[in-house]
C-alpha cells in the first residue's frame, strides 16, 4: 500500500546485525538505522509528534510559522514538515552546524539564521534559544516546538521509538543505548522500558564537556550530543542504568570504523553510541541483543567525518581497523551508574531564556492518556 504522504512513512526503521564487529569482539549488538526516517534522522519522530500536538491544541494554526533552535537534525525535520503542511519555518543554527545540514534545511524551504555568540558554557544552546524565543515573541502567528524544554519530545520517543523497539524484538533485548542532548530519546526510552521491561539495561552516551550529568563544561566537537544542563525530558536520571562519555576523536573514528567494516554510513553521534553499546555488551556478556540507536546518516557529514583534510586538521585518527576499535573501547571511562547518576536540572533557565508559556516544561502538565500502552 502506498503511503498517504511522506510523513506516514515515519518509523519502522531497520534493525541490522553488525556481524564482523560482533564476531571480532564477541559482543551482541544490533544497530537501528534512524536515517531511514523520511527527513533522514531520528528527530523526525519528535518533530512530527510535537507539531501534531500543537495542531490539535490550536497552538499552531494553518499558515503559521514554526520557529526553532536546532544544531541540525530537528530543524531539518521541521523544515520537511513545514514543506508538507504549508508552514513557514525559521531555524536558528550555530557555527557547528554543517554546510550540508544548512543546505538541507534550505532545500525544504526553511529560513536559516546562524547564531555566532557563545553562551557561558562555551556552547551556543542558550544564545540560540534566547534568540528563537525573541523571534517568536515578535511573530504573532508563530509556534515554538522548543525541543530543549518541551517534554513532549520524550513522550514522542516513548510512544514511537521505545514502543517500536519493544515490538520489533518482542521485548527480548538486554539493553538500549542512545545519544543524549535534549534528552528526548533517552527520557522516553527509559520511562517506557522501566515500565514494561525493567530488566532491560538503558544507557546513554554524552560528550566530555557536556553538563547533562554534571562534570566540567567546555567546548566539544560531536554534533547533536550534549547540553549545558539536565533537560527535563529526562524525568528521573536514575531510570537510566549507565551514562557513558566518549571523546570527540573516539566518536568520529568509531563511526568511520562502522562504515568501513560493515558498510553502514552514519553520523558522528552514532559512532559514540556504537562504542557505548559495545562497551556495555563486553561488560554484560548479554545473551539477548543490545540495541544501538544510530541517529542520522553519514552523508550529513561528508565535509567533516569523511573528509581526510578535515580529520587531519582536527587530529582525528583515520585508522579504521578492528585493532583501533579495541583500543578505543579500552580507553572508555567507567560509566556513571544508577543510582549515582548526577543531575543538573536548571529551571532558572526557563525564566532566564524567556521560554514561551506554550512549552510543556514539566511532566505534571501531561495527561497520562497521551502515553500509549505497550
Ligand atoms: C544524530 C543525533 N543523535 C542524537 C541526538 C540526541 O537526541 P536527543 O536530543 O533526543 O537527546 C541528536 C540531537 O540532536 C541527534 O541529532
Amino acid at each position: 500500500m502506498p503511503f498517504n504522504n511522506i510523513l506516514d512513512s515515519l518509523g519502522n526503521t531497520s534493525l541490522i546485525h553488525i556481524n564482523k564487529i560482533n564476531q571480532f569482539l564477541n559482543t551482541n549488538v544490533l544497530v537501528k538505522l534512524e536515517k531511514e526516517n523520511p527527513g533522514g534522522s531520528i528527530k523526525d519522530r519528535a518533530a512530527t509528534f510535537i507539531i501534531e500536538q500543537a495542531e490539535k491544541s490550536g497552538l499552531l494554526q494553518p499558515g503559521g510559522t514554526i520557529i526553532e533552535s536546532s544544531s541540525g537534525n530537528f530543524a531539518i525535520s521541521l523544515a520537511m514538515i513545514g514543506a508538507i503542511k504549508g508552514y513557514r519555518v525559521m531555524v536558528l543554527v550555530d557555527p557547528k552546524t554543517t554546510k550540508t545540514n544548512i543546505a538541507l534545511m534550505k532545500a525544504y524551504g526553511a529560513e536559516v539564521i546562524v547564531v555566532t555568540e557563545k553562551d557561558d558554557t562555551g556552547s551556543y544552546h542558550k544564545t540560540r534559544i534566547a534568540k528563537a524565543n525573541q523571534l517568536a515573541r515578535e511573530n504573532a502567528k508563530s509556534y515554538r516546538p522548543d525541543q530543549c524544554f518541551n517534554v513532549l519530545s520524550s513522550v514522542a520517543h516513548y510512544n514511537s521509538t521505545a514502543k517500536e523497539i519493544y515490538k520489533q524484538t518482542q521485548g527480548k533485548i538486554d539493553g538500549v543505548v542512545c545519544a543524549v542532548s535534549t534528552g528526548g530519546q533517552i527520557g522516553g526510552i527509559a520511562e517506557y522500558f522501566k515500565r514494561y521491561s525493567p530488566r532491560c539495561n538503558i544507557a546513554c552516551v554524552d560528550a566530555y564537556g557536556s553538563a547533562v550529568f554534571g562534570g566540567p563544561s567546555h567546548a566539544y566537537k560531536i554534533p547533536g550530543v550534549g547540553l549545558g544542563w539536565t533537560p527535563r525530558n529526562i524525568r528521573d536520571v536514575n531510570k537510566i542504568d549507565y551514562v557513558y562519555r566518549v571523546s570527540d576523536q573516539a566518536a568520529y573514528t568509531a563511526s568511520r570504523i562502522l562504515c568501513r567494516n560493515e558498510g553502514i554510513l552514519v553520523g558522528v553521534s552514532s559512532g559514540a553510541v556504537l562504542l557505548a553499546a559495545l562497551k556495555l555488551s563486553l561488560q554484560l556478556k548479554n545473551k539477548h541483543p543490545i540495541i544501538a540507536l544510530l541517529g542520522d546518516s553519514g552523508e550529513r557529514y561528508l565535509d567533516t567525518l569523511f573528509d581526510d583534510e578535515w580529520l587531519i586538521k582536527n587530529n582525528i585518527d583515520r585508522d579504521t581497523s578492528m585493532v583501533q576499535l579495541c583500543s578505543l573501547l579500552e580507553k572508555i571511562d567507567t560509566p556513571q551508574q544508577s543510582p549515582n547518576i548526577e543531575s543538573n536540572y536548571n529551571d532558572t533557565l526557563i525564566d532566564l531564556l524567556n521560554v514561551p508559556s506554550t512549552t510543556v516544561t514539566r511532566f505534571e502538565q501531561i495527561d497520562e492518556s497521551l502515553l500509549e500502552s505497550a
Side-chain angles (χ1 to χ4, degrees), residues 188-204:
I189 288 167
E191 286 296 321
Y192 184 94
F193 278 92
K194 290 303 157 195
R195 181 174 287 191
Y196 293 113
S197 187
R199 45 156 291 284
C200 180
N201 291 280
I202 301 301
C204 66

Side-chain angles (χ1 to χ4, degrees), residues 43 73 179-185 224 269 295-296:
K43 290 281 176 173
N73 284 327
V180 64
S181 174
T182 66
Q185 292 179 54
S269 74
D296 66 1

Side-chain angles (χ1 to χ4, degrees), residues 52-71:
E52 284 174 357
Q53 291 300 314
E55 288 172 331
K56 276 186 200 157
S57 64
L59 288 173
L60 181 58
Q61 302 276 346
T65 301
I66 299 168
I67 301 178
E68 186 59 350
S69 155
S70 163
S71 67

Side-chain angles (χ1 to χ4, degrees), residues 158-159 163 167 192 195-196 368-374:
Y158 182 103
N159 288 346
K163 188 173 168 180
K167 276 170 88 179
Y192 184 94
R195 181 174 287 191
Y196 293 113
E368 264 285 309
S369 66
L370 207 55
L371 300 176
E372 290 176 20
S373 53

